[in-house]
Every structure is written in C-alpha cells, then in structure tokens.
Amino acid sequence: MDGAEEVEKVVGNAFQEFLTIYQTPLVILGIIVAAVLLNWILRRMLIRTVTGIVKGVKRAQDVDTTSEMQAAPYVNARAVQRTRTLGTVGRVLITWIIVIIAMILILAQLGVNLGAVLTSAGIVAAGLAFGAQNVVKDILNGIFMVFEDQLGIGDHVTIGTVSGTVEDVGIRVTQVRAMDGTLWFVRNGEILTLGNSSQGWGRALIDVTVDAHQDLAHVSEVTLDAARMLLKSERYARKVTGEPELLGLESVFGDRATLRLAVRTRPEAQWEVQRGIRAEIRRKFREEDIKMADELPRQPGGGPA
C-alpha cells in the first residue's frame, strides 16, 4: 500500500512538473484547437442558417429558382440573394475575427507587451494603408457594395466588358462566371459602373423583321396573338409580370420592316421569354403565310444590297 502511494505521488509530481514546464505551449495549442473548432462551428451554423432561409423562401413559393417567385417577387428574390451574399462575407469575417483574437491570446501567453504590439501594428497599418491604397479601396468598395445591395450571389451582372453570373462576393474580389464558363476575378475597387439584371424586373424585347410589302397591321395582330398564346402556358405564365406590348414600327429599310414587341418579366427571365416568343412567332407566321424578310435588303434590281 505504501509502495502504491509512493508511485502515485511520483507520477503526480511528474505530471505537475510536466504541466509547469510545458504550460505555455499547451495553452497555445489549446487556443489554436479552440479557435479552429470555434471557426468550424460558427461557419457551419452560418451556412445552415443561410441554407435554411433560402430553402424556406423557395418552399413557401414552391419554386426551384429565385426568378420564379410569385408573391412579392422582388422582396423574396432579393432576400435569398442578399442572404447568400451576406453569408459569404460573414464566413470571411468570422475567420478573420477568430484569427485576430487567437493571435492576441497567444502573444499574451508568450509574455509579449500587447500595448507595444498594438501601437506598432497601428503604425504598420497606417504605412500599409498609405502604400497599399488600392487594397484598401477594394475592401471598402466591397463592403459598400454588399451592404448597399448593389449585387448578390446569383445575380446576372455586367461589369465593364464582363457579363455573367456572380458566384462569390469577397471583401476584395468579386467572382463572375461568364456564359462561356470563364471565371472572371474583378477587383471591387475597379468596379465603377455595374449593371444588375436581377433586381426589380426585366424586359424581353423581340424585333420581328418582315417583308415591308405585307399588311403590317395583320402582322402586328398575329405577333401579339402568338406572344399572348405562349405566355398563357404554365412554363411562361409565372415568368412575366405584364401583357405583351407592340411598341410599333422600329425601322424601315428597303423592303424590310421591323416591328418591336416588349414584355415585362421577372428578373433574369427576359432571355428565356425572348427565345420562346421568337419560336412561337415563327410558327404562327408559317400558319398565316407571313413572309419574314431576307437577311439583307434587296436593291431595286432584285439582287442583295
């Protein structure tokens, strides 16, 4: 019994000595593990919250895409896209905040004078801000774009010569996927003009060019009938928010006359509606024996210009 107590005492002393010697490294290791674990938990919670909000809105509207929302489409669609965007930015902020706090705690364990470090960091930050003004500009512009709801993940935007769908909105860089699959990285500070096709509503514009010698009143009537018939279908009914409107004769050139049709649509639905209406108009014109114009106007002699 005495031997067992002696062994227990030796082991206890050894363990205490181990903790005394390696206390600082162990605490630092604990801080790192806790920071990694906390970062993972908070990011997972944020992702689950964002996913829950998005699924909840879509489930309530019984749609697969945000552009098809029926009740209060603008509010609901922007709620989904804004939630996704803020979720992306939030994940970045969570990581950086945890990293900074962990670094401060680690430095404190190493006995570093935090006051001096913070003062030095302030001086260095001022120098970096002066020398890296473009980086600061990118970050500030990115923050303003997100909180002013200029764009969101899933929006179809045009930034300069780049057009595509926003895949990620970062603090410094925005990623846009073009129609051909190219992923463009656009610095936020360089975004001076931004066109967003996903906010509010869209407009499908269809130009119909026919032989100018035909009865244009009849052509206009058939064009409107074709558009109305198509937009009554289940596929297109919830993609539009207004009736087809014939804007009139857009241009006359040689033996060609161009009529323009306009339809107000949900955001991002204008291109699909345009393609559908064009196909329906072409089918209807064949039934009514309406002749579409040649690609090039003919000269009086009969040959192409």
Side-chain angles (χ1 to χ4, degrees):
M1 198 64 183
D2 293 339
E5 290 180 358
E6 186 175 347
V7 170
E8 185 178 348
K9 185 177 181 181
V10 170
V11 172
N13 291 336
F15 182 69
Q16 200 162 20
E17 185 178 355
F18 174 80
L19 290 179
T20 302
I21 296 174
Y22 296 100
Q23 180 180 2
T24 300
L26 289 174
V27 172
I28 292 174
L29 179 62
I31 291 172
I32 294 173
V33 172
V36 172
L37 186 61
L38 182 61
N39 183 53
W40 181 81
I41 292 173
L42 291 178
R43 286 169 67 97
R44 288 289 298 176
M45 289 175 61
L46 183 62
I47 292 172
R48 291 190 63 171
T49 301
V50 170
T51 304
I53 293 174
V54 172
K55 287 184 177 179
V57 175
K58 288 185 177 181
R59 191 183 304 115
Q61 294 292 311
D62 190 25
V63 297
D64 295 322
T65 61
T66 56
S67 62
E68 294 181 351
M69 291 178 178
Q70 296 176 348
Y74 175 76
V75 175
N76 288 317
R78 291 314 298 172
V80 168
Q81 292 165 331
R82 190 163 173 77
T83 300
R84 287 172 174 163
T85 305
L86 292 175
T88 301
V89 176
R91 291 197 298 272
V92 176
L93 291 176
I94 286 172
T95 300
W96 277 105
I97 290 172
I98 291 177
V99 167
I100 292 172
I101 293 174
M103 288 297 298
I104 292 174
L105 294 175
I106 290 172
L107 290 175
Q109 288 298 317
L110 294 174
V112 178
N113 187 341
L114 293 179
V117 170
L118 292 176
T119 302
S120 302
I123 296 173
V124 172
L128 289 175
F130 182 78
Q133 296 181 34
N134 288 335
V135 175
V136 177
K137 180 181 177 182
D138 293 340
I139 294 173
L140 291 177
N141 202 35
I143 292 172
F144 283 122
M145 284 196 307
V146 170
F147 285 97
E148 291 176 0
D149 197 22
Q150 296 179 22
L151 78 171
I153 295 175
D155 285 357
H156 189 279
V157 300
T158 299
I159 302 173
T161 59
V162 177
S163 292
T165 303
V166 178
E167 286 200 351
D168 184 74
V169 181
I171 296 296
R172 197 180 69 85
V173 174
T174 294
Q175 298 179 25
V176 179
R177 179 77 65 176
M179 287 292 291
D180 61 0
T182 303
L183 183 62
W184 292 88
F185 295 84
V186 184
R187 284 176 44 202
N188 294 333
E190 297 299 316
I191 300 177
L192 302 179
T193 304
L194 187 152
N196 193 329
S197 302
S198 303
Q199 290 197 17
W201 50 273
R203 175 174 284 153
L205 295 174
I206 301 96
D207 287 340
V208 181
T209 304
V210 298
D211 191 316
H213 299 97
Q214 298 177 103
D215 183 357
L216 296 184
H218 178 61
V219 172
S220 300
E221 183 179 347
V222 172
T223 301
L224 279 172
D225 287 343
R228 289 181 183 129
M229 184 178 301
L230 178 79
L231 299 181
K232 288 179 181 178
S233 66
E234 184 179 351
R235 177 179 176 182
Y236 292 97
R238 62 183 183 180
K239 295 182 184 295
V240 299
T241 58
E243 290 293 322
E245 179 185 3
L246 194 68
L247 301 182
L249 193 61
E250 184 68 18
S251 66
V252 178
F253 183 58
D255 58 348
R256 297 156 53 96
T258 299
L259 303 172
R260 173 162 290 182
L261 180 75
V263 184
R264 187 161 171 167
T265 70
R266 307 278 188 208
E268 296 186 35
Q270 57 265 44
W271 301 291
E272 184 179 355
V273 172
Q274 284 174 181
R275 290 190 290 267
I277 290 178
R278 288 192 189 105
E280 184 65 21
I281 287 175
R282 185 172 180 81
R283 186 189 67 79
K284 197 72 174 175
F285 277 11
R286 283 200 301 267
E287 292 179 358
E288 297 290 332
D289 197 26
I290 295 175
K291 184 180 179 183
M292 302 287 289
D294 295 330
E295 184 176 356
L296 294 173
R298 292 189 299 273
Q299 293 181 336

